[in-house]
Amino acid sequence: MRRPAEINVMLRAAHAAGRGLARDFGEVENLQASETGPGEFVSIADRQAGRRIVEELSRARPRYGFLLEESGAVAGPDTSNRWVVDPLGGSSNFLHGIPHFCLSIALERDGEPMAALVYNPLTDDTYWAARGVGAYVNNRRLRVSARARLTHCILAAGDEAGADVSHLRRHAAAKSAGASLRWFGAVALDLAWVADGRLDGCWHTGMRRWHIAAGVLLVREAGGAVSDTDGSANMLESGNILAANDRLHGSLSQLMEAADALVPVAPTGQAA
């Protein structure tokens, strides 16, 4: 498969940063037992990966803007195009020496993801998609799963804003419907795995745009469906995302809606 030019630009940036992340991850275990722990080391690794990505992308497309965790939105002379970058998704996993993290890059054109890349530097798997071209891992075409019954499904779920009552109700509803739940701790990889059919769906709340922009396009180009958890198309603004194969998304959306409509029961002696 011949990759589009923008994907090749993103791939060079991802590999340059990924080499550093893989090397730094190898040092994390040595810091686990230290008095200060690896926290500051991981923050430095995150910033260094971000700088490498920005340098590579800026060299190839100097007029494009950026949306970054460190500095927010940085406008470029080309106001239509910007890179949306998360240099270390799954930073808590990285911090604790858990080998499940990634970096992600999306190219937005007038606010819509046009190209996307999620890279796992430990497995060297590159998930990428371009609008109208399809989604791929390395050179293999991606396709979402075909499972339609929740009793046969594995879903990933997380809530960066905290385990509030609505989140717990959604978990309980999915479990009651027979689904198996996981929480892997790297949202972009969850979305990539939905695109790859490893996961049948996922939902997350409290995300930022750089966490999910690449994954949105991956799932869409693999034939899946993506929405806000309330069923709207506002996920990139709200940071709440529900992604699934096209056969499952509707029933999952209904399940979310029903769970959110439940009135929580207050403990005895307290008002609801």
Side-chain angles (χ1 to χ4, degrees):
M1 171 65 192
R2 184 176 180 179
R3 294 186 294 262
E6 303 290 9
I7 295 296
N8 288 328
V9 168
M10 298 158 79
L11 189 61
R12 287 193 294 270
H15 283 183
R19 286 191 294 270
L21 285 175
R23 182 186 62 247
D24 292 340
F25 182 75
E27 299 296 324
V28 168
E29 285 187 337
N30 298 328
L31 299 172
Q32 295 294 338
S34 70
E35 184 175 344
T36 58
E40 180 59 25
F41 178 82
V42 173
S43 296
I44 293 170
D46 190 348
R47 291 194 296 271
Q48 288 178 338
R51 283 197 294 271
R52 289 189 184 101
I53 292 171
V54 170
E55 288 170 1
E56 290 291 333
L57 296 178
S58 296
R59 184 178 298 116
R61 298 292 186 271
R63 295 177 56 82
Y64 288 9
F66 285 89
L67 179 63
L68 307 160
E69 182 175 9
E70 289 288 326
S71 53
V74 179
D78 181 343
T79 57
S80 291
N81 292 290
R82 72 171 178 179
W83 304 107
V84 181
V85 177
D86 185 6
L88 180 54
S91 56
S92 293
N93 287 346
F94 192 102
L95 174 66
H96 288 273
I98 298 171
H100 187 75
F101 59 89
C102 64
L103 60 87
S104 64
I105 307 168
L107 173 62
E108 289 187 343
R109 184 160 297 142
D110 298 323
E112 284 294 319
M114 300 298 293
L117 183 143
V118 174
Y119 179 57
N120 182 336
L122 296 185
T123 63
D124 199 33
D125 285 328
T126 303
Y127 297 89
W128 64 270
R131 190 169 181 178
V133 175
Y136 297 81
V137 56
N138 305 322
N139 290 317
R140 175 173 62 82
R141 184 74 181 259
L142 295 180
R143 182 69 191 176
V144 294
S145 75
R147 298 180 189 93
R149 297 178 60 184
L150 281 168
T151 51
H152 298 159
C153 293
I154 295 180
L155 310 174
D159 183 11
E160 293 301 310
D164 61 10
V165 174
S166 64
H167 183 66
L168 295 175
R169 288 201 301 264
R170 291 168 182 166
H171 267 248
K175 291 290 288 182
S176 296
S180 296
L181 297 184
R182 307 286 189 272
W183 190 358
F184 294 106
V187 177
L189 279 176
D190 282 359
L191 292 165
W193 284 4
V194 171
D196 199 7
R198 295 185 182 187
L199 292 172
D200 303 292
C202 71
W203 76 86
H204 293 271
T205 59
M207 299 294 105
R208 303 303 294 269
R209 198 178 187 99
W210 48 80
H211 295 139
I212 61 176
V216 164
L217 187 63
L218 279 168
V219 174
R220 284 175 174 168
E221 289 294 321
V226 187
S227 70
D228 194 309
T229 52
D230 66 8
S232 72
N234 199 43
M235 59 280 175
L236 289 173
E237 287 71 34
S238 71
N240 304 323
I241 186 168
L242 171 64
N245 72 51
D246 50 330
R247 301 180 66 188
L248 189 65
H249 186 272
S251 57
L252 266 181
S253 183
Q254 292 173 6
L255 183 147
M256 300 286 109
E257 183 179 356
D260 289 347
L262 292 175
V263 178
V265 177
T268 304
Q270 295 185 24

